[in-house]
PDB file of all heavy atoms in Angstrom:
ATOM      1  N   GLN V 385       9.027 -68.672 -49.337  1.00  0.00           N
ATOM      2  CA  GLN V 385       8.780 -68.231 -50.709  1.00  0.00           C
ATOM      3  C   GLN V 385       7.440 -67.504 -50.808  1.00  0.00           C
ATOM      4  O   GLN V 385       7.347 -66.438 -51.412  1.00  0.00           O
ATOM      5  CB  GLN V 385       8.757 -69.425 -51.665  1.00  0.00           C
ATOM      6  CG  GLN V 385      10.110 -70.011 -51.960  1.00  0.00           C
ATOM      7  CD  GLN V 385       9.998 -71.245 -52.848  1.00  0.00           C
ATOM      8  OE1 GLN V 385       8.898 -71.687 -53.201  1.00  0.00           O
ATOM      9  NE2 GLN V 385      11.135 -71.822 -53.196  1.00  0.00           N
ATOM     10  N   ARG V 386       6.419 -68.087 -50.223  1.00  0.00           N
ATOM     11  CA  ARG V 386       5.063 -67.542 -50.342  1.00  0.00           C
ATOM     12  C   ARG V 386       4.882 -66.249 -49.554  1.00  0.00           C
ATOM     13  O   ARG V 386       4.292 -65.294 -50.030  1.00  0.00           O
ATOM     14  CB  ARG V 386       4.057 -68.604 -49.862  1.00  0.00           C
ATOM     15  CG  ARG V 386       2.643 -68.138 -49.672  1.00  0.00           C
ATOM     16  CD  ARG V 386       1.955 -67.859 -50.994  1.00  0.00           C
ATOM     17  NE  ARG V 386       0.561 -67.577 -50.832  1.00  0.00           N
ATOM     18  CZ  ARG V 386       0.055 -66.381 -50.596  1.00  0.00           C
ATOM     19  NH1 ARG V 386       0.832 -65.349 -50.466  1.00  0.00           N
ATOM     20  NH2 ARG V 386      -1.243 -66.211 -50.486  1.00  0.00           N
ATOM     21  N   PHE V 387       5.364 -66.227 -48.317  1.00  0.00           N
ATOM     22  CA  PHE V 387       5.201 -65.077 -47.428  1.00  0.00           C
ATOM     23  C   PHE V 387       6.566 -64.461 -47.115  1.00  0.00           C
ATOM     24  O   PHE V 387       6.908 -64.256 -45.949  1.00  0.00           O
ATOM     25  CB  PHE V 387       4.540 -65.490 -46.112  1.00  0.00           C
ATOM     26  CG  PHE V 387       3.150 -66.024 -46.236  1.00  0.00           C
ATOM     27  CD1 PHE V 387       2.891 -67.372 -46.054  1.00  0.00           C
ATOM     28  CD2 PHE V 387       2.094 -65.184 -46.527  1.00  0.00           C
ATOM     29  CE1 PHE V 387       1.605 -67.867 -46.152  1.00  0.00           C
ATOM     30  CE2 PHE V 387       0.797 -65.674 -46.628  1.00  0.00           C
ATOM     31  CZ  PHE V 387       0.552 -67.016 -46.437  1.00  0.00           C
ATOM     32  N   ALA V 388       7.358 -64.146 -48.131  1.00  0.00           N
ATOM     33  CA  ALA V 388       8.729 -63.672 -47.904  1.00  0.00           C
ATOM     34  C   ALA V 388       8.751 -62.380 -47.090  1.00  0.00           C
ATOM     35  O   ALA V 388       9.482 -62.273 -46.095  1.00  0.00           O
ATOM     36  CB  ALA V 388       9.440 -63.474 -49.238  1.00  0.00           C
ATOM     37  N   ALA V 389       7.945 -61.402 -47.474  1.00  0.00           N
ATOM     38  CA  ALA V 389       7.956 -60.109 -46.781  1.00  0.00           C
ATOM     39  C   ALA V 389       7.448 -60.254 -45.345  1.00  0.00           C
ATOM     40  O   ALA V 389       8.057 -59.713 -44.408  1.00  0.00           O
ATOM     41  CB  ALA V 389       7.096 -59.108 -47.546  1.00  0.00           C
ATOM     42  N   GLN V 390       6.348 -61.002 -45.176  1.00  0.00           N
ATOM     43  CA  GLN V 390       5.788 -61.164 -43.836  1.00  0.00           C
ATOM     44  C   GLN V 390       6.729 -61.946 -42.921  1.00  0.00           C
ATOM     45  O   GLN V 390       6.811 -61.661 -41.726  1.00  0.00           O
ATOM     46  CB  GLN V 390       4.427 -61.862 -43.895  1.00  0.00           C
ATOM     47  CG  GLN V 390       3.331 -61.034 -44.495  1.00  0.00           C
ATOM     48  CD  GLN V 390       3.134 -61.324 -45.964  1.00  0.00           C
ATOM     49  OE1 GLN V 390       4.058 -61.762 -46.650  1.00  0.00           O
ATOM     50  NE2 GLN V 390       1.952 -61.070 -46.481  1.00  0.00           N
ATOM     51  N   MET V 391       7.429 -62.933 -43.472  1.00  0.00           N
ATOM     52  CA  MET V 391       8.359 -63.730 -42.656  1.00  0.00           C
ATOM     53  C   MET V 391       9.493 -62.853 -42.125  1.00  0.00           C
ATOM     54  O   MET V 391       9.859 -62.950 -40.955  1.00  0.00           O
ATOM     55  CB  MET V 391       8.946 -64.888 -43.465  1.00  0.00           C
ATOM     56  CG  MET V 391       8.026 -66.060 -43.637  1.00  0.00           C
ATOM     57  SD  MET V 391       7.765 -67.038 -42.163  1.00  0.00           S
ATOM     58  CE  MET V 391       9.276 -67.944 -42.077  1.00  0.00           C
ATOM     59  N   THR V 392      10.047 -61.988 -42.973  1.00  0.00           N
ATOM     60  CA  THR V 392      11.136 -61.120 -42.509  1.00  0.00           C
ATOM     61  C   THR V 392      10.620 -60.122 -41.482  1.00  0.00           C
ATOM     62  O   THR V 392      11.323 -59.807 -40.511  1.00  0.00           O
ATOM     63  CB  THR V 392      11.806 -60.381 -43.678  1.00  0.00           C
ATOM     64  OG1 THR V 392      10.807 -59.673 -44.405  1.00  0.00           O
ATOM     65  CG2 THR V 392      12.533 -61.332 -44.585  1.00  0.00           C
ATOM     66  N   LEU V 393       9.392 -59.631 -41.678  1.00  0.00           N
ATOM     67  CA  LEU V 393       8.818 -58.703 -40.699  1.00  0.00           C
ATOM     68  C   LEU V 393       8.607 -59.386 -39.353  1.00  0.00           C
ATOM     69  O   LEU V 393       8.950 -58.831 -38.297  1.00  0.00           O
ATOM     70  CB  LEU V 393       7.486 -58.147 -41.210  1.00  0.00           C
ATOM     71  CG  LEU V 393       7.549 -57.147 -42.355  1.00  0.00           C
ATOM     72  CD1 LEU V 393       6.156 -56.847 -42.878  1.00  0.00           C
ATOM     73  CD2 LEU V 393       8.234 -55.868 -41.911  1.00  0.00           C
ATOM     74  N   LEU V 394       8.042 -60.590 -39.370  1.00  0.00           N
ATOM     75  CA  LEU V 394       7.777 -61.294 -38.111  1.00  0.00           C
ATOM     76  C   LEU V 394       9.066 -61.722 -37.417  1.00  0.00           C
ATOM     77  O   LEU V 394       9.151 -61.704 -36.186  1.00  0.00           O
ATOM     78  CB  LEU V 394       6.884 -62.509 -38.357  1.00  0.00           C
ATOM     79  CG  LEU V 394       5.417 -62.212 -38.623  1.00  0.00           C
ATOM     80  CD1 LEU V 394       4.673 -63.491 -38.957  1.00  0.00           C
ATOM     81  CD2 LEU V 394       4.778 -61.523 -37.449  1.00  0.00           C
ATOM     82  N   CYS V 395      10.070 -62.107 -38.189  1.00  0.00           N
ATOM     83  CA  CYS V 395      11.344 -62.510 -37.583  1.00  0.00           C
ATOM     84  C   CYS V 395      12.100 -61.333 -36.995  1.00  0.00           C
ATOM     85  O   CYS V 395      13.057 -61.526 -36.241  1.00  0.00           O
ATOM     86  CB  CYS V 395      12.204 -63.245 -38.604  1.00  0.00           C
ATOM     87  SG  CYS V 395      11.574 -64.889 -38.988  1.00  0.00           S
ATOM     88  N   SER V 396      11.682 -60.096 -37.331  1.00  0.00           N
ATOM     89  CA  SER V 396      12.332 -58.927 -36.744  1.00  0.00           C
ATOM     90  C   SER V 396      11.897 -58.700 -35.296  1.00  0.00           C
ATOM     91  O   SER V 396      12.550 -57.966 -34.560  1.00  0.00           O
ATOM     92  CB  SER V 396      12.036 -57.672 -37.577  1.00  0.00           C
ATOM     93  OG  SER V 396      10.687 -57.275 -37.428  1.00  0.00           O
ATOM     94  N   ILE V 397      10.812 -59.338 -34.882  1.00  0.00           N
ATOM     95  CA  ILE V 397      10.331 -59.208 -33.499  1.00  0.00           C
ATOM     96  C   ILE V 397      11.203 -60.080 -32.601  1.00  0.00           C
ATOM     97  O   ILE V 397      11.320 -61.277 -32.832  1.00  0.00           O
ATOM     98  CB  ILE V 397       8.859 -59.654 -33.376  1.00  0.00           C
ATOM     99  CG1 ILE V 397       7.962 -58.842 -34.285  1.00  0.00           C
ATOM    100  CG2 ILE V 397       8.377 -59.552 -31.932  1.00  0.00           C
ATOM    101  CD1 ILE V 397       6.541 -59.358 -34.364  1.00  0.00           C
ATOM    102  N   PRO V 398      11.823 -59.495 -31.559  1.00  0.00           N
ATOM    103  CA  PRO V 398      12.621 -60.313 -30.646  1.00  0.00           C
ATOM    104  C   PRO V 398      11.730 -61.304 -29.906  1.00  0.00           C
ATOM    105  O   PRO V 398      10.719 -60.930 -29.326  1.00  0.00           O
ATOM    106  CB  PRO V 398      13.217 -59.302 -29.659  1.00  0.00           C
ATOM    107  CG  PRO V 398      13.090 -57.985 -30.324  1.00  0.00           C
ATOM    108  CD  PRO V 398      11.924 -58.070 -31.251  1.00  0.00           C
ATOM    109  N   GLY V 399      12.082 -62.574 -29.970  1.00  0.00           N
ATOM    110  CA  GLY V 399      11.304 -63.606 -29.305  1.00  0.00           C
ATOM    111  C   GLY V 399      10.551 -64.491 -30.286  1.00  0.00           C
ATOM    112  O   GLY V 399      10.068 -65.551 -29.912  1.00  0.00           O
ATOM    113  N   ILE V 400      10.438 -64.073 -31.541  1.00  0.00           N
ATOM    114  CA  ILE V 400       9.750 -64.881 -32.552  1.00  0.00           C
ATOM    115  C   ILE V 400      10.780 -65.345 -33.573  1.00  0.00           C
ATOM    116  O   ILE V 400      11.471 -64.525 -34.175  1.00  0.00           O
ATOM    117  CB  ILE V 400       8.616 -64.096 -33.235  1.00  0.00           C
ATOM    118  CG1 ILE V 400       7.506 -63.815 -32.238  1.00  0.00           C
ATOM    119  CG2 ILE V 400       8.075 -64.861 -34.424  1.00  0.00           C
ATOM    120  CD1 ILE V 400       6.296 -63.129 -32.793  1.00  0.00           C
ATOM    121  N   GLY V 401      10.858 -66.663 -33.752  1.00  0.00           N
ATOM    122  CA  GLY V 401      11.799 -67.248 -34.694  1.00  0.00           C
ATOM    123  C   GLY V 401      11.125 -67.621 -35.999  1.00  0.00           C
ATOM    124  O   GLY V 401       9.944 -67.330 -36.229  1.00  0.00           O
ATOM    125  N   ARG V 402      11.878 -68.297 -36.858  1.00  0.00           N
ATOM    126  CA  ARG V 402      11.373 -68.655 -38.179  1.00  0.00           C
ATOM    127  C   ARG V 402      10.197 -69.615 -38.098  1.00  0.00           C
ATOM    128  O   ARG V 402       9.196 -69.449 -38.805  1.00  0.00           O
ATOM    129  CB  ARG V 402      12.492 -69.283 -39.013  1.00  0.00           C
ATOM    130  CG  ARG V 402      13.525 -68.298 -39.481  1.00  0.00           C
ATOM    131  CD  ARG V 402      14.671 -68.934 -40.240  1.00  0.00           C
ATOM    132  NE  ARG V 402      14.193 -69.750 -41.339  1.00  0.00           N
ATOM    133  CZ  ARG V 402      14.713 -70.940 -41.649  1.00  0.00           C
ATOM    134  NH1 ARG V 402      15.695 -71.441 -40.939  1.00  0.00           N
ATOM    135  NH2 ARG V 402      14.243 -71.625 -42.664  1.00  0.00           N
ATOM    136  N   LYS V 403      10.298 -70.623 -37.244  1.00  0.00           N
ATOM    137  CA  LYS V 403       9.216 -71.608 -37.154  1.00  0.00           C
ATOM    138  C   LYS V 403       7.932 -70.983 -36.617  1.00  0.00           C
ATOM    139  O   LYS V 403       6.843 -71.233 -37.133  1.00  0.00           O
ATOM    140  CB  LYS V 403       9.623 -72.777 -36.262  1.00  0.00           C
ATOM    141  CG  LYS V 403      10.579 -73.738 -36.915  1.00  0.00           C
ATOM    142  CD  LYS V 403      10.824 -74.926 -36.019  1.00  0.00           C
ATOM    143  CE  LYS V 403      11.758 -75.912 -36.679  1.00  0.00           C
ATOM    144  NZ  LYS V 403      12.026 -77.070 -35.832  1.00  0.00           N
ATOM    145  N   THR V 404       8.064 -70.177 -35.595  1.00  0.00           N
ATOM    146  CA  THR V 404       6.876 -69.544 -35.033  1.00  0.00           C
ATOM    147  C   THR V 404       6.283 -68.542 -36.016  1.00  0.00           C
ATOM    148  O   THR V 404       5.059 -68.446 -36.138  1.00  0.00           O
ATOM    149  CB  THR V 404       7.208 -68.848 -33.703  1.00  0.00           C
ATOM    150  OG1 THR V 404       7.845 -69.787 -32.849  1.00  0.00           O
ATOM    151  CG2 THR V 404       5.965 -68.321 -33.035  1.00  0.00           C
ATOM    152  N   ALA V 405       7.135 -67.819 -36.719  1.00  0.00           N
ATOM    153  CA  ALA V 405       6.642 -66.873 -37.727  1.00  0.00           C
ATOM    154  C   ALA V 405       5.867 -67.625 -38.810  1.00  0.00           C
ATOM    155  O   ALA V 405       4.790 -67.192 -39.230  1.00  0.00           O
ATOM    156  CB  ALA V 405       7.804 -66.095 -38.332  1.00  0.00           C
ATOM    157  N   GLY V 406       6.398 -68.756 -39.239  1.00  0.00           N
ATOM    158  CA  GLY V 406       5.698 -69.564 -40.235  1.00  0.00           C
ATOM    159  C   GLY V 406       4.379 -70.086 -39.720  1.00  0.00           C
ATOM    160  O   GLY V 406       3.364 -70.066 -40.431  1.00  0.00           O
ATOM    161  N   MET V 407       4.370 -70.547 -38.471  1.00  0.00           N
ATOM    162  CA  MET V 407       3.116 -71.051 -37.892  1.00  0.00           C
ATOM    163  C   MET V 407       2.085 -69.940 -37.741  1.00  0.00           C
ATOM    164  O   MET V 407       0.892 -70.151 -37.961  1.00  0.00           O
ATOM    165  CB  MET V 407       3.384 -71.706 -36.542  1.00  0.00           C
ATOM    166  CG  MET V 407       4.045 -73.055 -36.673  1.00  0.00           C
ATOM    167  SD  MET V 407       4.149 -73.903 -35.111  1.00  0.00           S
ATOM    168  CE  MET V 407       2.468 -74.433 -34.921  1.00  0.00           C
ATOM    169  N   LEU V 408       2.549 -68.739 -37.359  1.00  0.00           N
ATOM    170  CA  LEU V 408       1.629 -67.608 -37.239  1.00  0.00           C
ATOM    171  C   LEU V 408       0.998 -67.271 -38.589  1.00  0.00           C
ATOM    172  O   LEU V 408      -0.207 -67.000 -38.674  1.00  0.00           O
ATOM    173  CB  LEU V 408       2.356 -66.378 -36.699  1.00  0.00           C
ATOM    174  CG  LEU V 408       2.433 -66.219 -35.200  1.00  0.00           C
ATOM    175  CD1 LEU V 408       3.343 -65.067 -34.836  1.00  0.00           C
ATOM    176  CD2 LEU V 408       1.070 -66.006 -34.606  1.00  0.00           C
ATOM    177  N   LEU V 409       1.822 -67.277 -39.626  1.00  0.00           N
ATOM    178  CA  LEU V 409       1.297 -66.950 -40.955  1.00  0.00           C
ATOM    179  C   LEU V 409       0.325 -68.010 -41.451  1.00  0.00           C
ATOM    180  O   LEU V 409      -0.694 -67.682 -42.065  1.00  0.00           O
ATOM    181  CB  LEU V 409       2.448 -66.763 -41.938  1.00  0.00           C
ATOM    182  CG  LEU V 409       3.249 -65.481 -41.720  1.00  0.00           C
ATOM    183  CD1 LEU V 409       4.498 -65.488 -42.569  1.00  0.00           C
ATOM    184  CD2 LEU V 409       2.396 -64.262 -42.022  1.00  0.00           C
ATOM    185  N   LEU V 410       0.614 -69.270 -41.177  1.00  0.00           N
ATOM    186  CA  LEU V 410      -0.321 -70.333 -41.552  1.00  0.00           C
ATOM    187  C   LEU V 410      -1.602 -70.246 -40.744  1.00  0.00           C
ATOM    188  O   LEU V 410      -2.704 -70.386 -41.271  1.00  0.00           O
ATOM    189  CB  LEU V 410       0.317 -71.702 -41.346  1.00  0.00           C
ATOM    190  CG  LEU V 410       1.303 -72.165 -42.403  1.00  0.00           C
ATOM    191  CD1 LEU V 410       1.894 -73.504 -42.009  1.00  0.00           C
ATOM    192  CD2 LEU V 410       0.634 -72.260 -43.750  1.00  0.00           C
ATOM    193  N   PHE V 411      -1.454 -70.019 -39.456  1.00  0.00           N
ATOM    194  CA  PHE V 411      -2.594 -69.960 -38.546  1.00  0.00           C
ATOM    195  C   PHE V 411      -3.524 -68.799 -38.896  1.00  0.00           C
ATOM    196  O   PHE V 411      -4.734 -68.958 -38.955  1.00  0.00           O
ATOM    197  CB  PHE V 411      -2.088 -69.828 -37.104  1.00  0.00           C
ATOM    198  CG  PHE V 411      -3.153 -69.587 -36.093  1.00  0.00           C
ATOM    199  CD1 PHE V 411      -3.998 -70.609 -35.704  1.00  0.00           C
ATOM    200  CD2 PHE V 411      -3.320 -68.336 -35.533  1.00  0.00           C
ATOM    201  CE1 PHE V 411      -4.993 -70.389 -34.766  1.00  0.00           C
ATOM    202  CE2 PHE V 411      -4.307 -68.111 -34.608  1.00  0.00           C
ATOM    203  CZ  PHE V 411      -5.144 -69.136 -34.222  1.00  0.00           C
ATOM    204  N   ALA V 412      -2.929 -67.633 -39.131  1.00  0.00           N
ATOM    205  CA  ALA V 412      -3.732 -66.433 -39.357  1.00  0.00           C
ATOM    206  C   ALA V 412      -3.963 -66.147 -40.835  1.00  0.00           C
ATOM    207  O   ALA V 412      -4.604 -65.147 -41.167  1.00  0.00           O
ATOM    208  CB  ALA V 412      -3.049 -65.235 -38.705  1.00  0.00           C
ATOM    209  N   GLY V 413      -3.463 -66.986 -41.701  1.00  0.00           N
ATOM    210  CA  GLY V 413      -3.664 -66.766 -43.130  1.00  0.00           C
ATOM    211  C   GLY V 413      -3.019 -65.490 -43.627  1.00  0.00           C
ATOM    212  O   GLY V 413      -3.576 -64.796 -44.470  1.00  0.00           O
ATOM    213  N   GLY V 414      -1.851 -65.184 -43.095  1.00  0.00           N
ATOM    214  CA  GLY V 414      -1.153 -63.965 -43.507  1.00  0.00           C
ATOM    215  C   GLY V 414      -1.749 -62.696 -42.922  1.00  0.00           C
ATOM    216  O   GLY V 414      -1.449 -61.601 -43.382  1.00  0.00           O
ATOM    217  N   PHE V 415      -2.632 -62.830 -41.931  1.00  0.00           N
ATOM    218  CA  PHE V 415      -3.298 -61.712 -41.253  1.00  0.00           C
ATOM    219  C   PHE V 415      -4.154 -60.891 -42.214  1.00  0.00           C
ATOM    220  O   PHE V 415      -4.423 -59.723 -41.967  1.00  0.00           O
ATOM    221  CB  PHE V 415      -2.275 -60.797 -40.556  1.00  0.00           C
ATOM    222  CG  PHE V 415      -1.532 -61.457 -39.439  1.00  0.00           C
ATOM    223  CD1 PHE V 415      -0.255 -61.952 -39.637  1.00  0.00           C
ATOM    224  CD2 PHE V 415      -2.099 -61.599 -38.188  1.00  0.00           C
ATOM    225  CE1 PHE V 415       0.441 -62.564 -38.618  1.00  0.00           C
ATOM    226  CE2 PHE V 415      -1.413 -62.212 -37.162  1.00  0.00           C
ATOM    227  CZ  PHE V 415      -0.145 -62.698 -37.376  1.00  0.00           C
ATOM    228  N   THR V 416      -4.599 -61.480 -43.316  1.00  0.00           N
ATOM    229  CA  THR V 416      -5.379 -60.723 -44.295  1.00  0.00           C
ATOM    230  C   THR V 416      -6.866 -60.691 -43.972  1.00  0.00           C
ATOM    231  O   THR V 416      -7.564 -59.784 -44.415  1.00  0.00           O
ATOM    232  CB  THR V 416      -5.195 -61.321 -45.701  1.00  0.00           C
ATOM    233  OG1 THR V 416      -5.538 -62.712 -45.651  1.00  0.00           O
ATOM    234  CG2 THR V 416      -3.770 -61.168 -46.180  1.00  0.00           C
ATOM    235  N   HIS V 417      -7.363 -61.646 -43.202  1.00  0.00           N
ATOM    236  CA  HIS V 417      -8.803 -61.750 -42.944  1.00  0.00           C
ATOM    237  C   HIS V 417      -9.237 -61.072 -41.648  1.00  0.00           C
ATOM    238  O   HIS V 417     -10.389 -61.202 -41.254  1.00  0.00           O
ATOM    239  CB  HIS V 417      -9.234 -63.214 -42.896  1.00  0.00           C
ATOM    240  CG  HIS V 417      -8.836 -63.989 -44.113  1.00  0.00           C
ATOM    241  ND1 HIS V 417      -9.252 -63.660 -45.379  1.00  0.00           N
ATOM    242  CD2 HIS V 417      -8.038 -65.064 -44.263  1.00  0.00           C
ATOM    243  CE1 HIS V 417      -8.739 -64.502 -46.242  1.00  0.00           C
ATOM    244  NE2 HIS V 417      -7.991 -65.368 -45.591  1.00  0.00           N
ATOM    245  N   PHE V 418      -8.327 -60.375 -41.000  1.00  0.00           N
ATOM    246  CA  PHE V 418      -8.638 -59.804 -39.688  1.00  0.00           C
ATOM    247  C   PHE V 418      -8.626 -58.283 -39.748  1.00  0.00           C
ATOM    248  O   PHE V 418      -7.790 -57.684 -40.413  1.00  0.00           O
ATOM    249  CB  PHE V 418      -7.630 -60.277 -38.640  1.00  0.00           C
ATOM    250  CG  PHE V 418      -7.626 -61.761 -38.463  1.00  0.00           C
ATOM    251  CD1 PHE V 418      -6.594 -62.529 -38.975  1.00  0.00           C
ATOM    252  CD2 PHE V 418      -8.652 -62.402 -37.806  1.00  0.00           C
ATOM    253  CE1 PHE V 418      -6.579 -63.893 -38.824  1.00  0.00           C
ATOM    254  CE2 PHE V 418      -8.658 -63.770 -37.648  1.00  0.00           C
ATOM    255  CZ  PHE V 418      -7.617 -64.517 -38.164  1.00  0.00           C
ATOM    256  N   ASP V 419      -9.564 -57.673 -39.023  1.00  0.00           N
ATOM    257  CA  ASP V 419      -9.638 -56.216 -38.958  1.00  0.00           C
ATOM    258  C   ASP V 419      -8.832 -55.657 -37.795  1.00  0.00           C
ATOM    259  O   ASP V 419      -8.283 -54.562 -37.891  1.00  0.00           O
ATOM    260  CB  ASP V 419     -11.097 -55.767 -38.812  1.00  0.00           C
ATOM    261  CG  ASP V 419     -11.932 -56.170 -40.011  1.00  0.00           C
ATOM    262  OD1 ASP V 419     -11.388 -56.195 -41.133  1.00  0.00           O
ATOM    263  OD2 ASP V 419     -13.128 -56.469 -39.824  1.00  0.00           O
ATOM    264  N   ASN V 420      -8.789 -56.380 -36.671  1.00  0.00           N
ATOM    265  CA  ASN V 420      -8.015 -55.908 -35.527  1.00  0.00           C
ATOM    266  C   ASN V 420      -7.375 -57.088 -34.793  1.00  0.00           C
ATOM    267  O   ASN V 420      -7.699 -58.240 -35.057  1.00  0.00           O
ATOM    268  CB  ASN V 420      -8.879 -55.066 -34.570  1.00  0.00           C
ATOM    269  CG  ASN V 420     -10.061 -55.811 -34.032  1.00  0.00           C
ATOM    270  OD1 ASN V 420     -10.034 -57.026 -33.877  1.00  0.00           O
ATOM    271  ND2 ASN V 420     -11.119 -55.087 -33.732  1.00  0.00           N
TER     272      ASN V 420
END
């Protein structure tokens, strides 16, 4: 619900599933705080 667009984008990568996509978004905070 919170990261709907990012979850669909991450799940489009072959090799990354729903759980890993969710963990990546939690870990990186939606990738908003990083420049590279």
Side-chain angles (χ1 to χ4, degrees):
Q385 286 176 357
R386 169 71 173 88
F387 297 108
Q390 290 96 334
M391 282 288 284
T392 55
L393 288 172
L394 285 176
C395 288
S396 71
I397 302 172
I400 293 184
R402 287 177 53 221
K403 284 185 179 179
T404 307
M407 286 188 76
L408 272 172
L409 288 170
L410 282 177
F411 173 74
F415 295 99
T416 55
H417 306 300
F418 299 105
D419 297 327
N420 59 30

